[in-house]
Amino acid sequence: MAVDQIVLGVQALPRPAVTERRATRIALTIIALLFLAVFLVLPLMIVFLQAFANGVGAYLGALQEPDSVAAIRLTLLVAVIAVPLNLIFGVAAAWAVAKFEFKGKAFLITLIDLPFSVSPVISGLVYVLLFGSQSLLGPWLTAHGIQILFAVPGIVLATIFVTFPFVARELIPLMEDQGAADEEAALSLGASGWQTFMRVTLPNIKWGLLYGVLLCNARAMGEFGAVSVVSGHIRGLTNTMPLQVEILYNEYNFAGAFAVASLLALLALVTLIVKTLLEFRYRDAISGSTGH
Amino acid sequence: MDLSIRNIRKEFDRFAALDDVSLDIRSGELIALLGPSGSGKTTLLRLIAGLDHPTGGQIFFGGEDASLKTVQERNIGFVFQSYALFRHMNVLDNIGFGLSVRRGAKRIAKAEIEDRAKELLDLVQLSGLERRYPHQLSGGQRQRVALARAMAIEPSVLLLDEPFGALDAKVRRDLRSWLREIHDATGHTTVFVTHDQDEALELADRVVVMNEGRIEQIGTADEVYDTPNSPFVFGFIGESSSLPVRIEAGQLWFEDRPIGVPVGDAPEGKALLYFRPQEVRLLDGCGGCIAGTVAASRRVAGTRRLELEVGGHRERVEIEVPAGHPAAARSRIAFRPEKWRLFNARGEAAPSGKVAYAA
């Protein structure tokens, strides 16, 4: 009788909603993993392998080379200027889009996405056309001794342009989802606009903001196309890390090129790890901030 | 604090969400704004709060024109349907928020804020949950915290937007009587919005019935239920059926026969007869009645609802009979409304009354 019951029990089992056979599922998983390994993990490993091909000494030596040091410093400088500015612009744009109704809102959203849809080279070219010596503003700038192209300001401008959407894109859906009720509650309780922003809005969006800033920073340090057009590739002066990698590579200095490249790859890894750690550590707070 | 709303108009893109609304609210009253969605009740509440501003008209707080005051200056307590608790703050910080943002001369010491928040938490019966975060609370608990937070600033008026709308039926009923107790204990002038007539009738001192941006009727639960002044109110509050009738020779006629309801010297002509399912009397013979065939029969708690098709156009009306009543088994039923109300074609109230029956 017990056996009967067991058999009946098996028959009574509902068919699972997922109908793919086990073999199919395993095959699909393996294909996905192989794809990731070949196209993502392998190249990343090769960067590090090549960087250390001539030993640790050569690696450190390549990083201490004056032009490379200058490139690292310039990259950090650009990021330090561009990321905070985009943080402010991004929050302002997301705030405007998510909390208010106004004419031209759809246009503004499209405009925010523009840097994503335009080729980075074109983004750089825009600044050449705007500030170059043949341009409208060129003569005026030259007369006042202001150098924008082939100098730090141009690189910063191009970087800001390219990385603008990251913070705003991260925040707009989040803020739209949260609505204005929290802010209205704070105002009704007597808080000023500034208090409401600092004590209610900002804490509500802080995780989204942090993600946006991390991604924005990674892109700001890694941007090649737009920066390449406006920088002029002056060694030790206007070369950022990605540009330096290209120059070293073109000179067959593979160890040097991969050494600098490994720093950029490391930045990407650190960004990912920090993001994952934050998600893990503050899981509750994050789930709390994306709804009840 | 007394509230006076005078000729308020609110347009959204030329669409009038509120049209010439006037309402006086006495200090300490518990008022319900009741209406279907789109009737303008939430808009009115937000205008009182100062979260939106009227296109025209004025709002007075205790004789003082508040129309131009900001939401902060009005000192109101607003409770949102979605609770809108600050999710990164614990319960105590949520409740104390309104006090903690005070600056200058009104600044309050931290310890005092905490004491006050604990007092309120006690009032809303949530002591022990001080350090919880909103996502660790149930819906009913969140709404209590939201109410405590609104009351913390000693508001001149408490405004609640569908306060129990997102809760399940049982919790709603519990919170309803609890809100009444809190109101009686604290005496805040309170206005709440609801689309639930039971909630409005049970809870409020006076009910404001709204429809399409206008106030249809203001009155106590008894007044709006027993003497609705428009077809809308009759249809919206409680259950009702309506039939097109004629007034002729001091009698009500439905199609070709009188239904045994005398209307005195009412002007002759067409009218709409309104009555409630439970306010009818079943008749055995039909010497002046409404007769119909039973189209459907439903058991509703302790009673039985019969849906009847009456007249040549098979108009549907509902009547209520006791659950075990033999009439439920019949296929044809004759009845007469015991209490009824007539409205003319323009929706104006015509005579109403009761049919006197000999005992």
Side-chain angles (χ1 to χ4, degrees):
Chain A
M1 189 183 160
V3 174
D4 281 359
Q5 274 178 343
I6 290 167
V7 171
L8 278 174
V10 169
Q11 282 173 340
L13 266 184
R15 274 171 64 86
V18 180
T19 53
E20 279 82 8
R21 276 179 299 130
R22 206 177 144 76
T24 319
R25 272 181 274 162
I26 292 173
L28 283 173
T29 312
I30 289 177
I31 290 172
L33 286 177
L34 270 178
F35 191 87
L36 280 177
V38 172
F39 287 94
L40 291 176
V41 182
L42 204 62
L44 203 60
M45 275 171 60
I46 287 173
V47 168
F48 286 101
L49 286 176
Q50 286 285 336
F52 288 99
N54 298 341
V56 178
Y59 176 79
L60 292 176
L63 287 184
Q64 279 161 4
E65 210 251 318
D67 285 352
S68 296
V69 172
I72 294 168
R73 289 173 106 162
L74 180 59
T75 298
L76 291 177
L77 175 69
V78 169
V80 161
I81 300 171
V83 174
L85 284 176
N86 268 338
L87 177 110
I88 296 168
F89 295 155
V91 171
W95 174 278
V97 167
K99 308 278 179 186
F100 301 105
E101 290 300 326
F102 53 90
K103 283 196 175 119
K105 186 164 148 174
F107 182 65
L108 182 63
I109 296 174
T110 314
L111 216 57
I112 290 171
D113 276 343
L114 187 70
F116 275 169
S117 54
V118 168
S119 159
V121 177
I122 310 296
S123 312
L125 217 54
V126 168
Y127 286 97
V128 174
L129 294 174
L130 202 60
F131 300 117
S133 52
Q134 311 298 320
S135 74
L136 214 62
L137 294 172
W140 187 87
L141 291 169
T142 318
H144 290 79
I146 301 170
Q147 176 92 25
I148 289 183
L149 276 188
F150 314 128
V152 176
I155 298 173
V156 171
L157 284 175
T159 306
I160 288 176
F161 181 89
V162 173
T163 57
F164 178 78
F166 285 98
V167 174
R169 267 283 136 206
E170 196 70 41
L171 293 185
I172 288 171
L174 183 65
M175 290 172 97
E176 277 183 336
D177 186 47
Q178 289 177 348
D182 281 18
E183 279 80 10
E184 287 179 346
L187 293 172
S188 77
L189 291 165
S192 67
W194 181 247
Q195 284 173 324
T196 302
F197 179 74
M198 291 305 287
R199 295 191 51 184
V200 176
T201 309
L202 211 52
N204 273 350
I205 61 170
K206 64 183 170 194
W207 299 112
L209 192 60
L210 199 60
Y211 286 177
V213 166
L214 275 175
L215 293 175
C216 179
N217 181 57
R219 183 66 189 271
M221 290 188 171
E223 173 57 24
F224 178 83
V227 171
S228 173
V229 176
V230 296
S231 102
H233 302 269
I234 307 167
R235 281 181 179 234
L237 280 179
T238 65
N239 266 350
T240 60
M241 282 162 76
L243 301 183
Q244 181 71 7
V245 170
E246 195 213 13
I247 287 176
L248 292 172
Y249 185 81
N250 286 344
E251 290 170 349
Y252 303 103
N253 183 354
F254 295 132
F258 280 107
V260 179
S262 73
L263 287 185
L264 283 172
L266 204 63
L267 167 77
L269 286 177
V270 168
T271 303
L272 279 179
I273 291 169
V274 170
K275 186 172 179 284
T276 313
L277 277 181
L278 284 173
E279 275 172 359
F280 180 73
R281 171 73 181 77
Y282 296 102
R283 207 168 21 203
D284 284 352
I286 292 169
S287 70
S289 72
T290 50
H292 290 295
Chain B
M1 181 177 288
D2 286 340
L3 281 183
S4 180
I5 292 146
R6 297 190 194 158
N7 310 101
I8 283 287
R9 182 176 175 79
K10 175 67 180 175
E11 292 174 12
F12 293 109
D13 293 333
R14 297 266 176 93
F15 165 76
L18 286 176
D19 187 11
D20 197 22
V21 166
S22 295
L23 171 66
D24 283 307
I25 296 168
R26 292 186 285 272
S27 188
E29 243 185 333
L30 182 54
I31 291 274
L33 303 180
L34 174 67
S37 40
S39 59
K41 53 195 191 306
T42 295
T43 305
L44 180 57
L45 196 75
R46 291 176 60 87
L47 290 179
I48 298 173
L51 291 170
D52 284 321
H53 290 277
T55 314
Q58 288 171 300
I59 295 173
F60 287 85
F61 276 45
E64 200 181 339
D65 188 356
S67 307
L68 296 173
K69 285 190 176 179
T70 64
V71 55
Q72 290 100 330
E73 290 164 343
R74 292 190 196 193
N75 191 39
I76 48 101
F78 201 100
V79 176
F80 294 81
Q81 179 179 9
S82 58
Y83 323 119
L85 292 178
F86 307 131
R87 44 207 116 191
H88 57 282
M89 294 182 199
N90 65 30
V91 166
L92 220 49
D93 290 339
N94 260 288
I95 298 176
F97 182 86
L99 301 176
S100 72
V101 294
R102 293 194 180 166
R103 291 286 171 265
K106 289 192 212 155
R107 190 185 197 104
I108 301 172
K110 257 195 169 156
E112 200 180 321
I113 294 174
E114 189 150 319
D115 288 346
R116 180 91 187 100
K118 278 184 179 157
E119 250 172 60
L120 281 157
L121 204 58
D122 208 32
L123 179 71
V124 299
Q125 299 159 1
L126 288 179
S127 295
L129 301 184
E130 286 86 351
R131 304 289 165 203
R132 292 273 189 94
Y133 283 85
H135 70 270
Q136 297 168 316
L137 302 176
S138 72
Q141 289 172 331
R142 284 183 205 164
Q143 199 54 290
R144 287 168 189 235
V145 174
L147 187 65
R149 182 179 68 178
M151 289 193 297
I153 60 168
E154 289 292 334
S156 49
V157 52
L158 202 52
L159 306 169
L160 301 93
D161 185 9
E162 303 254 0
F164 313 129
L167 303 171
D168 61 58
K170 167 101 176 67
V171 180
R172 283 176 87 115
R173 276 196 300 277
D174 291 349
L175 280 186
R176 211 187 278 171
S177 49
W178 169 83
L179 179 65
R180 180 77 228 187
E181 283 166 28
I182 295 255
H183 175 265
D184 293 344
T186 59
H188 286 299
T189 308
T190 306
V191 183
F192 74 98
V193 159
T194 181
H195 61 260
D196 181 340
Q197 45 168 305
D198 292 343
E199 204 164 283
L201 295 179
E202 186 181 324
L203 202 49
D205 295 324
R206 285 194 300 155
V207 178
V208 178
V209 186
M210 298 186 66
N211 182 36
E212 293 181 345
R214 291 170 174 278
I215 292 179
E216 292 272 344
Q217 187 169 7
I218 305 171
T220 62
D222 288 343
E223 284 164 2
V224 294
Y225 191 88
D226 292 334
T227 54
N229 65 0
S230 72
F232 173 81
V233 178
F234 210 117
F236 187 71
I237 295 185
E239 296 183 51
S240 65
S241 295
S242 69
L243 277 180
V245 293
R246 241 169 335 114
I247 303 171
E248 211 176 290
Q251 279 278 334
L252 277 189
W253 292 64
F254 175 61
E255 295 189 343
D256 57 350
R257 65 169 110 179
I259 61 174
V261 176
V263 289
D265 53 358
E268 304 208 334
K270 287 184 177 176
L272 271 176
L273 171 73
Y274 277 80
F275 59 92
R276 301 201 185 276
Q278 64 275 26
E279 292 171 349
V280 298
R281 171 170 288 212
L282 297 184
L283 303 170
D284 288 330
C286 188
C289 71
I290 302 171
T293 49
V294 178
S297 159
R298 284 179 290 128
R299 174 70 188 250
V300 180
T303 64
R304 190 172 290 282
R305 281 288 164 82
L306 300 179
E307 220 171 283
L308 305 182
E309 284 180 351
V310 299
H313 299 291
R314 313 180 77 129
E315 307 260 3
R316 291 230 168 181
V317 298
E318 265 199 347
I319 63 167
E320 195 173 286
V321 297
H325 197 279
R330 277 187 247 153
S331 63
R332 257 191 99 68
I333 285 181
F335 73 96
R336 188 187 291 153
E338 277 190 300
K339 274 181 76 180
W340 46 272
R341 212 166 160 81
L342 286 175
F343 295 98
N344 65 20
R346 289 186 299 279
E348 291 158 359
S352 61
K354 289 182 181 180
V355 179
Y357 289 93

